[in-house]
Amino acid sequence: MKVKSVILQGIITGILVMLYTIKVKFSAFVNRKQLSQLTEQAATDYLAAHYPDKSQATEYTGYQQRNRSLDLSIIIPVYNGEAYLEECLDSVLGPEFTGQYEVIAINDGSTDQSLAILNRYQHVNKQLKVIDQTNRGLSATRNRGFQISKGQYITFLDIDDQLNLAILPDLIAKMKAQQIQMLQASYNTTYQGRVVQATAFKAGQPLAEATDGYPWAKIYDYRLWKQVRFPEKIYFEDTVLLFLIEPQVKRFLASELSLINYRINETGFIQSNKNKPVNIDSLYVTNWLMQQQQQLAIPMTDQLLHLYLFQLSNMLVRRINGLDEALQEAVFIQARTLILQLPIDELEHTSTLERQIMIAIHNRQFKVWLQLSQLY
């Protein structure tokens, strides 16, 4: 039934794209006013006046080699997490993991009782290392955690989630035996204390089919992060996984074992920033990723080109939807500039929808881009 549903959905999407393409071509013929007249400089100036470009604002001091004497480092950024902190810490501190590991919890300028809770736990748990810093943001905190880590393998955990410590010995043993660079574990999504969705992967699944773009529920060989960091002072930082980490991975393993209980947080970033200009960071982080890819000499592949096109169409439109139309148009012009820098024409396989999106971008058809991107 599931296969039939997927096939039917594909047929329906194809019909919608075909009908919309006919509509677009007719509209373009009778109404040339749909073409954006906004210049690149005007778009830059308008965005700068309303939400400055942060793609150059990230800071990074470079990787400092450390003695990797432990099996695993669990890195937990902490900011005003008193409601969830004890539950999170209880999940990572226990006798279930028999290897040598550390838990690095970095208090990022919390104004609640998070630091007091961390200090109390550190007093009775030798694996826990507590760092206190003025507020620098999630990316800077994760980066600092990696810089001071001593584990051969690294995993990230959010403060409102819990980790299944008991399965880590088996996962780490498999990574060592098979020289795995990155492991994607299964995970459960919870809401108000109950599991609402189980995301399950299978051993043998390739990386392209068994990853989701989140940094958690994964275990990494630390060397993947030696030249990569999360972009600081800019949101949508998790995008670094798809564009800068995964292209390095040659040996990958998916696991059916569930590592994380991921909590749906109604006060999280996406929910609390809907329809706000901060979503323009989706554009700026893509600009930053393109710069980093060049600096790290990561080859441009068909998969990355598809990802960039998706990032600068569907993902971007979903995030800026609800903003003032003039802001959206300025974002479109900036996104167009980035896309035209990419060798999209070299793609061996493109869908009808992708081709129509590219035509809209080339022709400066702002509203067509908005509508087609939502179908992508």
Side-chain angles (χ1 to χ4, degrees), residues 171-184:
L171 297 182
I172 295 296
K174 287 181 178 179
M175 292 187 73
K176 287 183 176 181
Q178 301 177 41
Q179 297 182 323
I180 298 300
Q181 294 173 287
M182 184 176 114
L183 180 144
Q184 170 71 67

Side-chain angles (χ1 to χ4, degrees), residues 102-210:
E102 64 180 349
V103 177
I104 301 173
I106 302 179
N107 179 56
D108 188 34
S110 296
T111 57
D112 63 2
Q113 293 300 305
S114 292
L115 182 58
I117 295 172
L118 288 172
N119 288 334
R120 174 162 53 85
Y121 269 76
Q122 185 182 37
H123 185 68
V124 295
N125 291 276
K126 65 179 182 179
Q127 297 99 337
L128 178 61
K129 183 175 184 178
V130 174
I131 305 295
D132 186 33
Q133 66 182 30
T134 56
N135 184 259
R136 295 179 58 199
L138 178 59
S139 289
T141 305
R142 283 175 175 164
N143 289 339
R144 187 177 184 188
F146 174 73
Q147 288 281 24
I148 63 176
S149 65
K150 297 180 180 179
Q152 177 70 32
Y153 299 98
I154 304 291
T155 191
F156 298 101
L157 182 66
D158 288 347
I159 189 60
D160 49 358
D161 299 336
Q162 302 89 45
L163 183 141
N164 182 2
L165 193 63
I167 70 169
L168 279 176
D170 181 55
L171 297 182
I172 295 296
K174 287 181 178 179
M175 292 187 73
K176 287 183 176 181
Q178 301 177 41
Q179 297 182 323
I180 298 300
Q181 294 173 287
M182 184 176 114
L183 180 144
Q184 170 71 67
S186 301
Y187 59 89
N188 294 320
T189 300
T190 67
Y191 180 69
Q192 295 183 346
R194 61 187 181 88
V195 176
V196 295
Q197 181 178 347
T199 301
F201 300 104
K202 296 179 181 179
Q205 274 187 279
L207 174 61
E209 296 178 5

Side-chain angles (χ1 to χ4, degrees), residues 70-87:
L70 303 177
D71 293 319
L72 177 69
S73 295
I74 302 171
I75 299 171
I76 309 176
V78 178
Y79 179 73
N80 288 352
E82 62 180 4
Y84 314 112
L85 184 52
E86 292 186 356
E87 190 176 3

